[in-house]
Structure formats: C-alpha cells, structure tokens
Amino acid sequence: MKIVSGMRPTGKLHLGHYLGVIKNWLKLQEENECYFFIADWHALTNKYKDTKELKENIKQMIIDWLACGINPEKATLFIQSGVKQHAELSLLFSMITPKSWLELNPSYKDLKFNLMYQYLKDFLLGKQIKINQAPPSESYDEALKKATGKQKNKIFEEYLREAFHRTFYSKKGLDLDYLKEVLIKFGIQKKIIEEAISNLKDGDIGKDIDTVGFLSYPVLQAADILIYKAQGVPVGEDQLPHIELTREIARRFNNLYKEIFPEPEAILTEEAKLLGIDGRKMSKSYNNAIYLSDSEKEVNQKVLQMKTDPQRIKKTDPGNPEVCIVYDYHKIFTNDENLLKEIDTKCKNAEIGCVECKKILANNLNQFLTPIREKRKEIEKDFPKYEKIFIEGSLKCREIAEETMKEVREAMNLYY
Ligand code: SF4
C-alpha cells in the first residue's frame, strides 16, 4: 500500500511523538511504500511570525527520525517545502473546495479552541493573579480550600477551560461577556481581564489563527497526500475529519475534470495514552515532556518529579497504580510482566515507596533511550551526510509529484 504521512517540525520529539507516530511508522515502513515528510509549511499555519527556530527544528527532526530507526532504504524521506508541486496542487484544490467544508471542520475548531484557551490561561497566570477568592461554585470552593500553591493554579485552569468550552462550541460561538463574569468571580483585577479579553477579540491571538493559511491547511494536507496518489494515511481519531475532507476533495476533482486521484483510506492508529510528567497532555508548551534527546540525568530528574497517586501521601499509605502516571509509564517501558505485577502488588500493600518505584522506571526508560541517544550523537557528528537523505528524497518526490501535476494541469486545461 502507498502511504503518506508527515509531521510538523515544532521541536525535538518526545516520548508522546514516539509512541503516537514513530512507533507506527517503524511498522508501516516494513511492508508498505511509505513517504514520510517534514511538514515545514504546515508549521507556519500558526507560527508564521517567529520562524527563527524552524531550520533547527527540521534538523532535530531529521536526527530524531533516523535515530529511532526510520529507514531511508525502506521509506522515502523528504521535506515538504522541497517539493513545490504540493503548493501548486493545494492552490488548485482551493479553487474547488467550498469554504464551508473548512469552517465546519471539527479539527479547525479544536485547534482554534486550544490556541485561544492556551493564550488566555498563559496570559492570566503570567500576571501572577491570586487564585483563592470568590470561587464560582461550591465544588470548586471545596477543592480550592484543600489546594495549595500550584494546585490552585491547576484547579483554576480546569475551571477556566470548562467555562471557555461552555460557549465556544455553541452556535453563537465564544461568549466573551460570560467569560468576563467568570473571571470577575475569581477576583481577578478588571484591568487584567479587559486586556486579556480585548487581545482575544482582536489582538495578536485573533490574528494568529485567523489567517487563510490556518483555515485552509486541510487543503494543503489533501495536496500532500493526493499528489502521491496515496492509498493510506495513518491518523489518530481526531484527524479523521481531515482524511474525510481529502477524500471529498479527491471525489470533487475526479467528478469535475478527470479520474486522477484515488480516495485514500485512514489507517487508524491507537492514540498514545502517555501523559506528561505533571499529568496533563504531553506537550512542549506545558514543559512536561520527556524528550528522546534527554540525557540520563534529565530523565532521572523528570521521573522523580512525576505525579503519582494523589491519595498516597506517605509511604505507609496503600497506593493505586491505576491512577498513577508512573505506573502508566511502567506498562510501556518495563518489559517484564513479573516485575510489573510485583510493583502493582507492592504499591497496593504499601510495600514499595514511590521514589524506589520511580528509580526502577527511570532505569528502564534510560535503557530504552540509550540506543536512540547514541545514534543521535553519531548523526549529529556527521549531519550533512544524513541531511542528504532528505535532500535526495525531496528530489525523488519532485519527480513523482510532477508526473501527477502534468495530469492535473492537462485535466484542468491550464496553459502551462
Ligand atoms: S509506588 Fe509506584 S505505582 Fe504506586 S503510587 Fe508510587 S509511583 Fe505510583
């Protein structure tokens, strides 16, 4: 099967990327004709202002992929901006794609939600607001009373997210007046609230995501896939609407001009269930990720900081591994069923301390990461040799993409 898949170069890869994408690619490359690309144009959709790190991010991605075992003898590896035909096809597709298909795309809304909520949260917490007064609900009041320091911020974040969610997905869209009321109940200064809300409305954050590029990135994605006439695209559940859109665009093109594009199937990949060390989604922006490039010392430190069963305060308290992030990691990185069972039993009977349990995990994680680290060093030392793989891959893809474009231009009766 011909498979196309890409990743946005947003920084070094972490364990979440490895489990969610790379592990799957390693399997796919064994039995399929795979095209894996670094989607640098896609990285611009919401990060167009500051591109200083883009080249370095691409370099790190090349190193990470190869260090993990993505094999250029088995898959074609390339960089999106090295194949300009993607942009040409995207432009032609944008002519035949109704605007409503994009505006109604759920992942467009979700991405917008995340960016706006993230901005508001970071802005408010960055102002060092005090979260300990005028709680807006009783259950919140209870939780807040028990919380200390950082926990208060976490509770605030959760409540804010809920309040944001309440109107964001409604027909009328985000209700800023309601949001203002909620923030006032928290006792946040009016001046700070006004500033945050006005930035949300028409300040930088609004502009960052209200671009044509951001709205139409699924069209570019369709071009990325269809230009190689791919039959399969590995995706997580949240990406399914994008693949459906790709199929619709292919169908529309085929009906309007000529049967050129196959409708690719989504190859559903299981979501990586691994959370960050603080219990939130693993993400660079939360500063809670373990990177493939982390040193042994960094891994040890991060594992020691990991959240555990919140009910287990003292070593003598019995724990519950099912609600503990450390145990979630053990399930993936401790490849010894007996040891897993032992930790489970000892935790439940308060026979093992969390520090000891974390040390076992850190050790196993380091065992997993050591070969990747070593390979990374080797690639870094001689980077141009490895970069060439992607340059040659891009040249190869240009030829394939150009063949498709010849058919497309002819079908559409373009002059050139
Ligand atoms: S002993 Fe291990 S599994 Fe149990 S709560 Fe502590 S860290 Fe989690």
Side-chain angles (χ1 to χ4, degrees):
M1 187 189 260
K2 198 186 271 188
I3 286 171
V4 173
S5 190
M7 271 180 102
R8 293 196 303 160
T10 49
K12 290 179 177 180
L13 297 191
H14 53 60
L15 289 174
H17 295 125
Y18 180 86
L19 295 168
V21 182
I22 302 290
K23 203 173 160 201
N24 189 36
W25 285 6
L26 290 172
K27 262 193 254 152
L28 290 172
Q29 71 178 4
E30 294 301 325
E31 289 172 1
N32 299 280
E33 182 186 344
C34 291
Y35 294 80
F36 298 141
F37 68 97
I38 298 181
D40 52 349
W41 280 336
H42 282 288
L44 299 177
T45 47
N46 62 338
K47 286 255 179 306
Y48 61 89
K49 275 189 193 159
D50 190 359
T51 59
K52 281 196 296 292
E53 290 174 359
L54 190 54
K55 278 203 178 125
E56 179 58 24
N57 288 347
I58 292 170
K59 181 179 173 182
Q60 292 304 324
M61 185 159 269
I62 291 175
I63 298 171
D64 276 331
W65 283 13
L66 297 175
C68 287
I70 299 297
N71 187 342
E73 281 170 21
K74 294 178 179 168
T76 303
L77 311 177
F78 69 102
I79 297 170
Q80 185 187 31
S81 65
V83 189
K84 309 292 182 210
Q85 286 83 351
H86 287 226
E88 185 184 356
L89 188 59
S90 173
L91 173 94
L92 298 177
F93 280 166
S94 72
M95 303 296 170
I96 65 165
T97 306
K99 213 166 77 177
S100 59
W101 286 8
L102 301 173
E103 284 165 344
L104 296 174
N105 188 324
S107 30
Y108 167 70
K109 283 217 93 170
D110 290 347
L111 199 49
K112 195 165 171 165
F113 175 92
N114 281 334
L115 284 169
M116 293 181 85
Y117 161 73
Q118 185 78 31
Y119 161 77
L120 184 66
K121 187 201 78 182
D122 289 347
F123 178 87
L124 294 171
L125 292 180
K127 295 278 176 191
Q128 313 270 308
I129 49 169
K130 293 245 177 308
I131 312 293
N132 53 11
Q133 49 193 330
S137 80
E138 260 176 47
S139 60
Y140 175 80
D141 191 17
E142 276 305 301
L144 195 65
K145 268 185 203 153
K146 286 183 204 154
T148 54
K150 282 184 183 166
Q151 286 173 335
K152 285 185 179 173
N153 284 0
K154 291 274 147 55
I155 294 169
F156 170 70
E157 282 174 36
E158 272 164 36
Y159 197 89
L160 183 66
R161 191 177 184 95
E162 222 182 284
F164 208 91
H165 198 278
R166 208 162 294 164
T167 63
F168 185 87
Y169 287 99
S170 69
K171 266 193 186 157
K172 283 189 187 159
L174 186 64
D175 183 344
L176 291 173
D177 291 331
Y178 166 72
L179 210 55
K180 240 193 242 182
E181 271 173 43
V182 171
L183 294 173
I184 288 169
K185 281 185 190 163
F186 274 106
I188 300 169
Q189 276 180 335
K190 274 200 175 150
K191 210 175 126 212
I192 295 176
I193 299 175
E194 292 296 340
E195 197 182 338
I197 296 286
S198 80
N199 283 348
L200 264 187
K201 203 153 64 183
D202 45 29
D204 274 356
I205 181 71
K207 281 187 205 130
D208 266 350
I209 47 180
D210 283 334
T211 59
V212 176
F214 185 77
L215 177 69
S216 69
Y217 83 91
V219 178
L220 177 58
Q221 219 171 42
D224 297 333
I225 297 164
L226 295 175
I227 206 156
Y228 301 101
K229 301 188 179 176
Q231 293 137 333
V233 186
V235 284
E237 205 151 329
D238 58 332
Q239 286 280 309
L240 281 177
H242 280 180
I243 301 307
E244 198 40 51
L245 198 78
T246 298
R247 292 163 60 85
E248 279 174 19
I249 291 174
R251 229 174 288 150
R252 193 164 166 90
F253 183 97
N254 291 346
N255 285 338
L256 284 170
Y257 310 106
K258 193 181 167 196
E259 194 82 22
I260 290 181
F261 298 111
E263 288 180 34
E265 298 291 333
I267 305 169
L268 204 58
T269 55
E270 232 180 272
E271 283 286 302
K273 302 251 163 45
L274 205 64
L275 295 171
I277 58 171
D278 59 357
R280 292 185 292 170
K281 189 181 169 199
M282 192 180 283
S283 161
K284 184 185 173 188
S285 49
Y286 292 151
N287 200 17
N288 65 358
I290 296 179
Y291 293 93
L292 302 178
S293 51
D294 278 349
S295 67
E296 199 172 321
K297 201 173 152 201
E298 283 168 320
V299 170
N300 292 343
Q301 280 168 349
K302 286 181 183 179
V303 172
L304 274 179
Q305 287 166 26
M306 266 185 194
K307 275 197 168 182
T308 59
D309 171 3
Q311 304 294 329
R312 193 172 190 213
I313 316 284
K314 301 188 293 295
K315 195 178 165 183
T316 47
D317 295 334
N320 178 4
E322 289 314 312
V323 297
C324 177
I325 305 163
V326 178
Y327 197 70
D328 288 341
Y329 277 70
H330 270 302
K331 282 192 230 165
I332 299 168
F333 297 103
T334 299
N335 298 318
D336 178 342
E337 282 300 316
N338 291 334
L339 182 57
L340 262 181
K341 271 189 209 146
E342 192 184 316
I343 293 170
D344 179 86
T345 315
K346 283 187 168 176
C347 172
K348 285 174 180 162
N349 296 328
E351 288 166 356
I352 184 173
C354 292
V355 173
E356 189 190 338
C357 182
K358 285 175 172 179
K359 279 186 182 160
I360 299 171
L361 173 66
N363 189 32
N364 291 342
L365 250 178
N366 278 321
Q367 263 184 34
F368 166 77
L369 289 172
T370 300
I372 297 178
R373 270 185 216 124
E374 282 169 4
K375 188 81 189 148
R376 275 189 59 91
K377 271 190 211 143
E378 194 186 311
I379 298 169
E380 263 175 329
K381 248 195 245 159
D382 199 1
F383 183 68
K385 178 176 137 196
Y386 295 94
E387 187 184 27
K388 212 167 145 223
I389 294 168
F390 285 73
I391 298 170
E392 282 169 1
S394 304
L395 289 176
K396 176 183 162 189
C397 287
R398 253 182 238 174
E399 282 174 25
I400 302 168
E402 183 55 22
E403 283 309 307
T404 306
M405 284 316 297
K406 276 184 195 155
E407 287 183 74
V408 169
R409 292 177 204 125
E410 199 184 310
M412 291 180 90
N413 292 313
L414 293 166
Y415 198 87
Y416 286 105

